[in-house]
Amino acid sequence: VQLQACGGGLVQAGECLRLSCAASGLTLSSKTISWFRQGPGKEREFVAAIWGSDGKTYHADSVKGRFAISRDNTKNMVHLQMNSLKPGDTAVYYCAAVYTGKYGYTDRRAYDYWGQGTLVTVSS
């Protein structure tokens, strides 16, 4: 199984980016997939999840209303649309699969596979 995250870049505050996570060796449509991020000097934190069973989505309070996770089953990809970006959103963003249920879905230990990360830098 391999996850490939892409779409990061350097933007100004208020702008938007769309991250994508592509999978090989794994069908994402039936799996719970999440995005995490790790800012400079910070722990990796949960950003958003899309549930495998029913497609429900969950977002961290810090990004609620600005970010949206979605899934494209035809392309076996998961996206993270990020709007109204802030300097505090600067981080390496990782996609994670498969939620194992051993820990809560916001816990990084709950996932078997990780993408390599894509850097998002937001300037003020």
Side-chain angles (χ1 to χ4, degrees):
V1 174
Q2 286 191 324
L3 300 177
Q4 180 77 28
C6 65
L10 171 63
V11 296
Q12 293 188 333
E15 294 184 340
C16 58
L17 279 175
R18 187 192 194 210
L19 305 184
S20 297
C21 177
S24 59
L26 178 70
T27 300
L28 298 182
S29 60
S30 60
K31 304 295 189 294
T32 295
I33 310 299
S34 292
W35 286 95
F36 285 73
R37 68 183 182 185
Q38 188 165 11
K42 298 181 180 180
E43 296 289 320
R44 193 170 300 189
E45 64 176 359
F46 169 79
V47 176
I50 184 163
W51 221 245
S53 57
D54 57 11
K56 285 186 178 179
T57 60
Y58 302 88
H59 298 82
D61 289 342
S62 59
V63 305
K64 201 170 292 183
R66 300 187 298 122
F67 291 13
I69 188 172
S70 63
R71 176 160 43 207
D72 184 342
N73 293 336
T74 64
K75 296 183 179 179
N76 203 33
M77 297 178 74
V78 172
H79 303 290
L80 184 68
Q81 179 66 43
M82 307 187 296
N83 299 329
S84 302
L85 283 161
K86 304 176 180 179
D89 295 319
T90 294
V92 177
Y93 285 72
Y94 301 87
C95 55
V98 170
Y99 175 57
T100 63
K102 294 179 182 178
Y103 301 92
Y105 68 88
T106 62
D107 191 322
R108 59 180 292 186
R109 297 172 296 176
Y111 296 86
D112 283 336
Y113 306 106
W114 292 83
Q116 85 288 0
T118 184
L119 176 62
V120 172
T121 304
V122 185
S123 64
S124 57

